[in-house]
Amino acid sequence: SQTIHQWPATLVQPVGSPLSLECTVEGTSNPNLYWYRQAAGRGLQLLFYSVGIGQISSEVPQNLSASRPQDRQFILSSKKLLLSDSGFYLCAWRQEPTNEKLFFGSGTQLSVL
Amino acid sequence: GESVGLHLPTLSVQEGDNSIINCAYSNSASDYFIWYKQESGKGPQFIIDIRSNMDKRQGQRVTVLLNKTVKHLSLQIAATQPGDSAVYFCAEIPNRDDRIIFGKGTRLHILP
């Protein structure tokens, strides 16, 4: 069966520090991968998605970047965090075209202080 | 860009009653819709989905209704239980589009 792993679960970082959040999927190949951010009490904002290795689509221009160095690995990064980067970050995957459902990881709560 | 919107941000329902959560979508090209449930501090979990060639689909205690004429989606939860307390999101997937856009969500609060 397929599983998605996301870590760390919580992270407290100072303003100006770098960020690296990692997400991996097991039990499937060539999945579509997604990064969402959720501010407290708000909806899910799509940040990046990837349909293949090295292919990244950015939805919202901001202080973040994403990379997909391997088929089942998706990384969210920042060189210098801002206070506004605080939020709940969710990685997700779906298997086109056989299964259109989006499956989410457990999320990373990032607090930038 | 087009997005999915929700009519009500918060819904309070008596335990045992039925809940109806509504959603409006704007992209007429969307042909697949999903409802998710998100409990506090967790990732959203799939509840039920529906394709645009259907107007109703039933699951265990949940029913999704799709009205393409007015671009409206609803999630009905029968006999609401305390464990149903969560935020519910609808999502639309436009045909041949890899993006999945979510609305703000509706918080379902269960009254004892």
Side-chain angles (χ1 to χ4, degrees), chain A residues 33-96:
Chain A
L33 297 172
Y34 301 78
W35 278 112
Y36 286 86
R37 178 170 62 197
Q38 187 175 31
R42 304 294 293 275
L44 297 162
Q45 180 187 33
L46 179 60
L47 302 176
F48 302 94
Y49 68 95
S50 171
V51 300
I53 297 175
Q55 300 179 59
I56 308 294
S57 296
S58 175
E59 287 295 299
V60 183
Q62 55 197 309
N63 187 40
L64 302 169
S65 62
S67 62
R68 185 170 177 174
Q70 301 180 44
D71 180 42
R72 292 171 291 175
Q73 184 184 29
F74 206 23
I75 298 172
L76 183 69
S77 304
S78 174
K79 292 182 179 179
K80 289 185 178 182
L81 283 169
L82 306 173
L83 288 173
S84 57
D85 291 324
S86 294
F88 192 48
Y89 288 82
L90 288 155
C91 181
W93 73 277
R94 65 196 283 238
Q95 188 69 65
E96 284 272 42

Side-chain angles (χ1 to χ4, degrees), chain A residues 2-6 23-25 34-38 44-46 88-94 101-107, chain B residues 34-38 42-46 89 91 100-102:
Chain A
Q2 301 91 354
T3 56
I4 180 169
H5 301 280
Q6 190 181 341
C23 172
T24 59
V25 180
Y34 301 78
W35 278 112
Y36 286 86
R37 178 170 62 197
Q38 187 175 31
L44 297 162
Q45 180 187 33
L46 179 60
F88 192 48
Y89 288 82
L90 288 155
C91 181
W93 73 277
R94 65 196 283 238
K101 299 180 186 62
L102 194 64
F103 297 95
F104 285 88
S106 54
Chain B
I34 311 175
W35 279 102
Y36 285 88
K37 173 186 179 182
Q38 185 181 26
K42 297 182 179 180
Q45 291 188 310
F46 169 86
F89 294 96
I100 300 176
I101 306 299
F102 290 79

